Amino acid sequence: MTAGLTDSIRGERVELRIGEGGFTVVRMADGVAVGEVHLSAAAGGLVIESLCIHEPHRSYGAGSEAARLLLDAAAAADFETVWAWAHPSLGLAAYFWIRMGLTPQHGAGPEGGIWYEWRRTAR
C-alpha cells in the first residue's frame, strides 16, 4: 500500500521505484535492483512490513538511504506515524530501526519481535 507516496523517490545512491505492495530499491549507479520495501496502511500511518537489501548488496548504505527516503516521503505525504518491526532473531534489524530514528514500543510485535515507531511531529 503506497497511497499518498510518489511512484519514485530518488536519493543520492538509490531510488525507490513503485512496485507490487511497495517499492523496489534500485542502485542509481547501474540500475541494479538491490532490495525491496513492502508496505501496508494502518490507521493514520504506514507500516513497513519489510525492508530487505539482497545479501550481496548489504553494508553499502542502500538500506539506510532507502529507510531515510521512505520516512521523508511519509512526512511529505502527511503520514503521522510509521511503524516497522524487527524479528526476534534479527538483532541487526533492531539496531537498524533505532539508528533510523524509530522508537521501540512496549509489547510484542509479530512473531515476538519488537515494534518501532516514528512520528512526524517528533522530527
Side-chain angles (χ1 to χ4, degrees), residues 21-66:
F23 291 95
T24 300
V25 181
V26 178
R27 188 171 49 217
M28 290 175 27
D30 57 7
V32 171
V34 298
E36 295 141 16
V37 180
H38 294 277
L39 308 169
S40 64
L46 186 66
V47 178
I48 302 171
E49 299 286 345
S50 70
L51 189 161
C52 182
I53 301 301
H54 306 307
E55 186 76 35
H57 307 290
R58 292 181 184 159
S59 299
Y60 295 100
S64 296
E65 186 170 358

Side-chain angles (χ1 to χ4, degrees), residues 1-3 5 39-48 70 74 79 81-84:
M1 173 62 153
T2 57
L5 300 177
L39 308 169
S40 64
L46 186 66
V47 178
I48 302 171
L70 188 57
F79 283 102
T81 310
V82 175
W83 296 276

